[in-house]
Amino acid sequence: MIVPPTPEYIAAAADLLRAGELVGMPTETVYGLAADALNPEAVGRIFAAKGRPADHPLIVHLPDAEHLPRWASDIPREALALAKAFWPGPLTLILKRDPCVPDEVTGGQDTVGVRVPGHPVALALLRAFDSGVAAPSANRFGRISPTTAAHVADELGERVAMVLDGGACAVGIESTILDLSGSAPRVLRPGAISAADIAAVIGRWPSSANHSATPPEGTPRVSGSLAAHYAPSTPLRLLPPQALDAALDSALAVGRRVAVLSVAGNGQARADVRAWLDAPADARGYAHDLYANLRTLDGLGADLLLVTMPPDGPEWDAVLDRLRRAAVGSGQD
Ligand code: TXA
Ligand code: MG
């Protein structure tokens, strides 16, 4: 049931969390599927609803940074500085866990992912609940993350007791994940907060995990690091803008129904396709619309989605990461 975020519904959502139920929670990045992080049975319901393997760790969402010591131990000074700079906001920190955090949340690892989300409805719910909430993106495992309440209902239907409607997510792609549990900071998943943003606060550059399509053996269990992720069911091909016309000609020549996601100003829309979407030419705008655009294209009954590569530049890292994974995981059902 999608409900408006009135004080009554927020109180009811906190009660559902206390009762071990699942709640769809808007955040500034994507919608989360929230459960009481200290209740292993409730956390188990998340995995069942998503169809997600149980050893994948979940991010714990907190009402504010003061809650941090309850969930993490050996908190480095850099973590506190980053929390001060970017929370509430789209940055997840991987820290050594406090023993109270259930194995069901950490995937049995000795670390925990934590963040304070920058969305008024999420913060109101977390304050009403006054504890940590485990919340992965509210999509079925491997599928496109939801950026509206309606997307959550499409993905999960009756599997979620209540979805708080917080409007369309401002950021549109998942938080940056920064691992501070090792000897040097490392970005495990790129997001709206860039390596440069992080370096500006802590005075050293984080390294980045290998974001190529085939992650090396032994990388941490970040589900976002699976090659196939965030994916539409329609086969998706990522190609340079200058290769688009030829790819379209050859696909259309054999009778395929094709839809295109291009970048505004990057060539003329063609009329011989099912749909042609022009995404914003700036990285933030592109990210904001990305999952909704992929969902739209996936719903057209096309045989092939052609997506042109966005421009070069570090501000496009997070978008390119999602597009690469969407291409690898696409067309699987
Ligand atoms: O923006 C976001 O982060 C959204 C919203 C709802 O907050 N959440 C999200 O959750 O993207 P999820 O579960 O779809 O992705 C969380 C990622 C997963 O790839 C998970 O493996 C990783 O965080 N993660 C969580 N705890 C971890 C840990 N202790 N060590 C390494 N990776 C961890
Ligand atoms: Mg996810």
Side-chain angles (χ1 to χ4, degrees):
M1 184 180 51
I2 299 178
V3 299
T6 59
E8 293 75 23
Y9 277 123
I10 285 173
D15 285 341
L16 285 170
L17 292 176
R18 279 180 208 108
E21 300 292 329
L22 304 181
V23 172
M25 173 177 77
T27 83
E28 81 284 32
T29 57
V30 300
Y31 274 69
L33 182 61
D36 178 354
L38 291 176
N39 178 343
E41 216 174 292
V43 172
R45 293 207 174 97
I46 292 179
F47 292 101
K50 280 186 62 100
R52 171 162 163 164
D55 63 349
H56 282 243
L58 302 174
I59 294 170
V60 177
H61 297 68
L62 304 176
D64 54 49
E66 275 75 75
H67 278 71
L68 204 48
R70 180 104 205 264
W71 301 85
S73 59
D74 303 332
I75 303 169
R77 259 225 299 276
E78 288 178 331
L80 298 175
L82 289 164
K84 189 149 185 255
F86 298 119
W87 285 356
L91 177 68
T92 295
L93 300 176
I94 307 294
L95 302 169
K96 292 261 161 41
R97 76 158 161 183
D98 183 275
C100 82
V101 188
D103 281 340
E104 285 78 2
V105 171
T106 66
Q109 304 184 91
D110 61 355
T111 56
V112 61
V114 283
R115 85 178 188 100
V116 176
H119 190 294
V121 176
L123 290 173
L125 176 60
L126 291 166
R127 283 182 195 130
F129 185 60
D130 196 30
S131 180
V133 151
S137 52
N139 50 282
R140 299 277 294 161
F141 182 63
R143 315 301 314 173
I144 302 167
S145 301
T147 52
T148 67
H151 294 165
V152 179
D154 287 349
E155 285 286 321
L156 299 172
E158 299 299 307
R159 296 183 179 94
V160 54
M162 179 190 281
V163 183
L164 289 168
D165 191 349
C169 301
V171 175
I173 56 173
E174 300 81 356
S175 60
T176 304
I177 301 182
L178 181 70
D179 185 358
L180 289 176
S181 69
S183 53
R186 198 158 74 108
V187 174
L188 300 182
R189 179 174 71 185
I193 304 223
S194 67
D197 295 332
I198 291 164
V201 172
I202 62 176
R204 55 173 173 162
W205 281 76
S207 62
S208 1
N210 185 341
H211 296 135
S212 72
T214 45
E217 289 296 313
T219 45
R221 284 197 297 270
V222 182
S223 66
S225 76
L226 294 179
H229 215 69
Y230 319 109
S233 353
T234 317
L236 183 156
R237 239 182 89 199
L238 191 57
L239 73 183
Q242 61 276 19
L244 178 61
D245 264 321
L248 267 175
D249 288 339
S250 57
L252 293 170
V254 295
R256 298 182 81 185
R257 292 165 300 180
V258 189
V260 173
L261 178 59
S262 180
V263 178
N266 221 345
Q268 195 59 40
R270 282 173 51 161
D272 50 356
V273 294
R274 281 246 144 169
W276 181 293
L277 300 185
D278 272 328
D282 67 291
R284 272 178 204 278
Y286 192 108
H288 177 271
D289 293 357
L290 174 60
Y291 290 142
N293 281 340
L294 291 181
R295 245 169 228 279
T296 300
L297 293 173
D298 207 17
L300 294 170
D303 311 306
L304 176 65
L305 309 179
L306 292 178
V307 178
T308 62
M309 301 274 285
D312 286 332
E315 71 275 24
W316 289 93
D317 279 359
V319 158
L320 197 54
D321 170 75
R322 303 315 190 274
L323 287 176
R324 289 209 171 107
R325 291 171 205 287
V328 173
S330 65
Q332 295 190 350
D333 55 37

